[in-house]
Amino acid sequence: MDLHSGLPYWIIRNSLWDYFHPLEKDLSTDVVIVGSGITGALMAHELCHAGIKCCIVDKRSIATGSSAASTALLQYEIDVPLCRMAKIIGEENAATAYHACLQSISDIKRVLEETGVNAGFEQLPSLFYASSAADNKLLEQEHEIRQKHKLPVNLLEKKKIKEEYKVKTPGNALINEASAQMDAYRAATGLLAYHIKESGLKVFTHTSIKECIETSDGCIMTTDRGHKIKCGYVIIATGFEAGQFLPQKIMDLTSTYALVSHPVASEHLWPTHCLIWETADPYLYIRTTDKNRIIVGGEDEKFSDPQRRDSLLRKKTRILERKVRKLFPDLPFETEMVWCGTFSTTKDGLPFIGNWPDKERMFFDLGYGGNGITFSMIGAQIICRQLQGMKDERSGIFGYERIEKYW
């Protein structure tokens, strides 16, 4: 199915990378990464940095799947609040997951700086507001448990939010100074271009994998053109499209909607340009761009049918516009382009990273949920270490062992 439709802002903001390089013969390598989006790009960076020979295979042009439609809010906050996640996977595990996401934001910044990739990375505060006065209690509980585990957070009352951020929220809010935003498309293409040049990374586009057979010493993959790829390991970094490689369903498909405004004069924007999201489910999320545009997303629906998803685009756009104007009554907001896409979520809000129990040679780096990019950074680190025979304390929290327990 189409991963997105409409007019994703990042494809317009950046020049589409005119890269066409299908695999035209049999190939042998150490590791094959399936997927050239931000997850595959971060994975390739970690492997190349560790000196592990690898290549990337993608059925599309580079990073034109979900990464092109990502709104790319980078937060340590996970879709499932810490106070609720603690009841699902245990408080210490939940706190470790939150701290891992916090660290990953700094790690993404470091990767971009090391490679000289300008992906519009910008560190900003994040404002998480109560969608109703009734949700103030949730924020109080969340504030308490985050403070307990030394996560950056402050609690703001409704009146203070209006005074300091010009946002007319229904309730109180949590604020932290440890979030960021970026351009996921530019990050993915920039990292791959860097390693193609500096590390000799091979990237094969417009090459679909039709079969993957695990052997005692590796994997044999067959492409849509009948070519064979022999490798020691395979890493699946294709989001919900990883389903063809998984023996059972482990995620739910969700369709989301987004729009971007005309440029807005700086004096009309809220102070600090903080990221904004809410406690409601589904939640509204808002960010700005480096050109003073406003990106708004939300109105998620639990379905994957692309025709049904696309048919609601106009209706969902109007709803999102109304919500923004309610939060910012004085903001001169006009929509310029809109799009919608499909992504995956899990019951505990966490990704799946590592080996499937009976697939020793196949790894999955599946950053499901609203924290897909921070999860992707974590996944790249965990899998790279596992390939080097190293342990990572985070692997059990994000691993597949929890399927039978929670599913």
Side-chain angles (χ1 to χ4, degrees):
M1 64 177 284
D2 295 331
L3 297 187
H4 57 77
S5 61
L7 197 60
Y9 171 67
W10 308 115
I11 295 294
I12 304 301
R13 171 68 176 79
N14 303 288
S15 297
L16 183 65
W17 191 2
D18 190 16
Y19 184 98
F20 181 77
H21 188 208
L23 181 65
E24 296 180 338
K25 61 181 180 180
D26 292 350
L27 176 70
S28 180
T29 189
D30 292 344
V31 179
V32 174
I33 302 167
V34 182
S36 69
I38 186 61
T39 304
L42 288 169
M43 188 76 253
H45 171 79
E46 291 298 307
L47 296 186
C48 289
H49 187 71
I52 298 174
K53 184 180 179 181
C54 63
C55 73
I56 286 182
V57 177
D58 198 312
K59 66 182 182 181
R60 300 182 177 86
S61 295
I62 289 176
T64 55
S66 296
S67 294
S70 172
T71 49
L73 283 69
L74 307 181
Q75 304 185 101
Y76 80 78
E77 299 159 298
I78 300 171
D79 286 355
V80 176
L82 179 58
C83 61
R84 291 176 177 169
M85 185 181 293
K87 297 177 182 178
I88 302 174
I89 66 173
E91 188 170 325
E92 291 304 316
N93 284 342
T96 298
Y98 265 68
H99 274 286
C101 288
L102 177 62
Q103 180 60 45
S104 72
I105 297 171
S106 297
D107 291 341
I108 291 168
K109 179 183 179 182
R110 172 184 50 78
V111 166
L112 296 174
E113 289 176 344
E114 288 175 351
T115 55
V117 174
N118 179 9
F121 183 95
E122 184 180 7
Q123 291 186 295
L124 294 167
S126 175
L127 184 77
F128 179 43
Y129 70 87
S131 304
S132 66
D135 281 348
N136 285 336
K137 184 64 176 178
L138 168 64
L139 293 189
E140 290 172 6
Q141 295 172 347
E142 187 69 4
H143 179 250
E144 181 180 354
I145 194 170
R146 289 194 200 178
Q147 282 198 319
K148 176 182 177 181
H149 291 281
K150 296 179 170 55
L151 289 161
V153 65
N154 283 301
L155 182 63
L156 290 180
E157 294 184 353
K158 177 180 176 179
K159 182 180 177 181
K160 195 76 170 178
I161 300 166
K162 177 64 175 175
E163 291 174 354
E164 294 190 12
Y165 296 96
K166 298 182 180 179
V167 189
K168 189 179 179 182
T169 60
N172 300 333
L174 299 181
I175 185 81
N176 75 72
E177 304 290 330
S179 300
Q181 63 186 25
M182 71 175 191
D183 177 338
Y185 177 80
R186 205 179 343 161
T189 55
L191 287 172
L192 294 182
Y194 174 87
H195 284 293
I196 288 172
K197 179 180 179 181
E198 301 295 332
S199 308
L201 176 68
K202 301 294 184 183
V203 179
F204 300 101
T205 63
H206 304 90
T207 301
S208 181
I209 302 300
K210 294 303 181 183
E211 184 181 50
C212 181
I213 299 175
E214 186 170 342
T215 67
S216 59
D217 60 351
C219 293
I220 300 175
M221 310 177 80
T222 304
T223 73
D224 52 345
R225 300 187 182 191
H227 300 303
K228 303 291 184 182
I229 305 175
K230 294 183 179 180
C231 58
Y233 298 92
V234 172
I235 301 171
I236 307 299
T238 55
F240 77 79
E241 290 186 308
Q244 74 174 95
F245 301 100
L246 290 166
Q248 73 179 73
K249 180 184 176 183
I250 58 172
M251 75 297 192
D252 295 315
L253 295 182
T254 300
S255 294
T256 192
Y257 300 83
L259 55 86
V260 65
S261 73
H262 287 284
V264 176
S266 297
E267 61 266 24
H268 293 304
L269 292 175
W270 54 98
T272 76
H273 297 185
C274 61
L275 312 181
I276 300 172
W277 63 305
E278 62 174 331
T279 57
D281 183 20
Y283 58 84
L284 179 76
Y285 48 97
I286 305 172
R287 58 162 287 188
T288 58
T289 74
D290 56 354
K291 301 298 182 182
N292 281 359
R293 295 177 184 268
I294 301 168
I295 295 178
V296 183
E299 281 302 298
D300 300 355
E301 293 279 356
K302 295 288 185 181
F303 56 74
S304 58
D305 180 349
Q307 291 184 334
R308 185 180 173 196
R309 176 196 69 194
D310 297 354
S311 69
L312 291 175
L313 186 53
R314 289 182 182 275
K315 176 183 177 181
K316 296 292 189 178
T317 297
R318 290 192 296 270
I319 295 173
L320 290 173
E321 289 172 337
R322 286 199 299 269
K323 288 184 174 182
V324 172
R325 289 172 181 141
K326 188 174 182 180
L327 283 174
F328 299 98
D330 301 322
L331 184 68
F333 183 91
E334 295 294 335
T335 299
E336 181 144 58
M337 56 192 77
V338 299
W339 65 96
C340 52
T342 301
F343 67 100
S344 299
T345 59
T346 59
K347 289 180 173 61
D348 58 10
L350 297 177
F352 282 104
I353 297 167
N355 298 103
W356 189 268
D358 63 347
K359 293 182 180 292
E360 295 182 1
R361 295 283 176 168
M362 185 177 289
F363 291 83
F364 294 87
D365 189 0
L366 307 178
Y368 295 147
N371 286 56
I373 298 175
T374 52
F375 288 153
S376 294
M377 183 75 257
I378 296 167
Q381 294 169 339
I382 290 175
I383 293 173
C384 184
R385 290 169 185 168
Q386 289 177 332
L387 288 173
Q388 297 175 88
M390 300 163 60
K391 292 184 178 181
D392 192 303
E393 65 176 8
R394 302 167 295 178
S395 60
I397 297 171
F398 302 124
Y400 296 84
E401 296 81 2
R402 70 187 202 274
I403 292 176
E404 292 184 3
K405 188 174 182 181
Y406 305 124
W407 273 259

